[in-house]
């Protein structure tokens, strides 16, 4: 038996929204990851299964290693197809906002969502959600938004409604947001849900290979280069940094998603409690990824130094400056947090 998480009032409010609407949009955050895409597609399949119209709208493309997910081919991307994507949002009776705690996380699409007449439903597991949604299902203790979508579907229609395709989407989101159940997964319910998904016939090893053993030769070389040449240890601060400039990324023809997970690697170094990866997406625009272990709050570092936020142990942000300045910012940040890093 799963411990109760989503309260019955919220479930009944969602039921009412689904019963009374015809068209629905499922939305997730910019630079969508496995949980964003997995949870969105799971809900999309569930709503479609109710005989209603559903569309998944994402601000921009997801990494290629998620393209095998059932329904991935039907996703609308706002950056490359803004007309159709905005029309879907404008026509929707309700918009489900998945895996983000603030509308700003959907980029330019936030204005379209803010103006839409649709009922807005939040389903998310980040800390400190923004208020203003009509229904808020926010549970930071969940390992992933995909876990919440499993719970929501199960509460609405029972486990019977979780199809093989829904199970594959949910498992992918749970697996990717927990580093294949290495972190954020120390609750027994996570494994009870995995067991329920396995009852649906999912091949968890195949899903693992689809996502993690999907590398190009160039990606392997990029990771080798990053480890050998670009990883710097700040021993006195128990911190590590990897930087990759735009030119370096271009040199390896880096595709979206090729650096996903790279930021976790330095945490394998004995003593390292905080890892930062600075990726120069475009000249002068630096995407920041932060990871930590134990109780070191990388979301506090992201908020104070990198215009971002996130979870305690996994956060991000962005800087508009040169790589040199971004590295300086990192150095200032670890100095400021030195006592927490070395406690
Ligand atoms: P990643 O390093 O995988 O890009 O992001 C890790 C986590 O940090 C995400 O799941 C999200 O919670 C958070 N995050 C990433 N970028 C941003 C950002 O720009 N703003 C905020 N508030 N959170 C972010
Ligand atoms: Mn997530």
């Amino acid at each position: 038996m799963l411990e109760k998480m989503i309260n019955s009032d919220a479930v009944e409010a969602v039921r009412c929204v689904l019963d009374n609407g015809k068209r629905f949009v499922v939305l997730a955050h910019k630079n969508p990851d496995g949980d964003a895409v997995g949870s969105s597609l799971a809900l999309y399949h569930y709503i479609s299964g109710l005989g209603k119209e559903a569309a998944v709208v994402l601000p921009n493309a997801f990494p290629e290693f998620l393209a095998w997910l059932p329904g991935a081919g039907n996703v609308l991307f706002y950056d490359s197809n803004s007309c159709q994507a905005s029309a879907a949002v404008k026509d929707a009776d309700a918009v489900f906002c998945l895996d983000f705690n603030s509308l700003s996380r959907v980029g330019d699409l936030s204005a379209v969502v803010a103006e839409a007449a649709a009922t807005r439903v939040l389903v998310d597991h980040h800390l400190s959600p923004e208020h203003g949604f009509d229904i808020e299902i926010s549970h930071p203790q969940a390992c992933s938004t995909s876990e919440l979508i499993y719970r929501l579907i199960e509460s609405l229609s029972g486990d019977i409604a979780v199809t093989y395709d829904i199970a594959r989407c949910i498992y992918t989101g749970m697996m990717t947001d927990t580093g294949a159940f290495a972190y954020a997964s120390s609750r027994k319910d996570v494994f009870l849900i995995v067991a329920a998904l396995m009852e649906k016939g999912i091949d968890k090893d195949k899903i693992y290979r689809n996502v993690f053993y999907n590398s190009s030769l160039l990606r392997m070389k990029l990771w080798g280069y990053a480890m050998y040449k670009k990883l710097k240890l700040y021993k006195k601060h128990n911190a590590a940094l990897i930087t990759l400039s735009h030119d370096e990324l271009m040199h390896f023809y880096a595709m979206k998603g090729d650096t996903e997970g790279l930021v976790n690697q330095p945490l394998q170094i004995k003593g390292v409690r905080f890892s930062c990866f600075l990726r120069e997406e475009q000249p002068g625009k630096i995407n920041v990824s932060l990871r930590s272990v134990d109780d070191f709050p990388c979301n506090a570092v992201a908020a104070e130094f990198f215009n971002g936020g996130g979870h305690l142990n996994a956060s991000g942000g962005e800087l508009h400056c040169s790589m040199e300045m971004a590295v300086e910012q990192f150095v200032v940040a670890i100095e400021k947090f030195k006592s927490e890093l070395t406690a």
Side-chain angles (χ1 to χ4, degrees), residues 231-259:
L231 167 60
K232 189 165 173 195
L233 181 64
Y234 293 77
K235 211 167 185 323
K236 288 189 183 133
H237 297 80
N238 292 328
L241 173 69
I242 296 173
T243 60
L244 286 173
S245 69
H246 186 65
D247 283 350
E248 287 167 323
L249 292 163
M250 297 291 279
H251 178 78
F252 289 93
Y253 297 95
M255 308 278 284
K256 214 171 183 62
D258 279 352
T259 53

Side-chain angles (χ1 to χ4, degrees), residues 22-97:
K22 280 201 190 93
R23 291 190 200 91
F24 299 93
V25 160
V26 184
L27 198 73
H29 61 77
K30 198 170 164 193
N31 300 326
D33 56 8
D35 188 31
V37 183
S39 59
S40 299
L41 287 172
L43 186 58
Y44 160 83
H45 288 297
Y46 172 70
I47 297 173
S48 306
L50 298 173
K52 310 264 175 172
E53 230 178 88
V56 174
V57 175
L58 296 173
N60 60 347
F62 48 73
E64 199 271 330
F65 62 76
L66 297 171
W68 62 274
L69 279 165
N74 301 335
V75 173
L76 298 173
F77 300 104
Y78 184 69
D79 66 344
S80 56
N81 187 2
S82 60
C83 283
Q84 228 186 320
S86 339
V89 173
K90 282 180 192 147
D91 288 349
D93 296 310
V95 175
F96 288 86
C97 299

Side-chain angles (χ1 to χ4, degrees), residues 60 149 160 166 239 296 300:
N60 60 347
I149 292 296
I160 187 90
I166 291 177
F296 182 72

Side-chain angles (χ1 to χ4, degrees), residues 29 33 35-36 99 124-126 143-146 173 177 311:
H29 61 77
D33 56 8
D35 188 31
D99 203 33
D124 180 48
H125 70 132
H126 292 89
C143 77
S144 56
T145 300
S146 296
D177 250 30
H311 310 275

Side-chain angles (χ1 to χ4, degrees), residues 29 33 101 105 126 260 263 287-291 307-311 314-318:
H29 61 77
D33 56 8
N101 56 0
R105 294 278 288 131
H126 292 89
E260 181 94 32
V263 63
N287 187 287
V288 183
S289 278
L290 305 174
R291 298 291 184 272
N307 307 309
H311 310 275
S315 309
E318 59 182 43

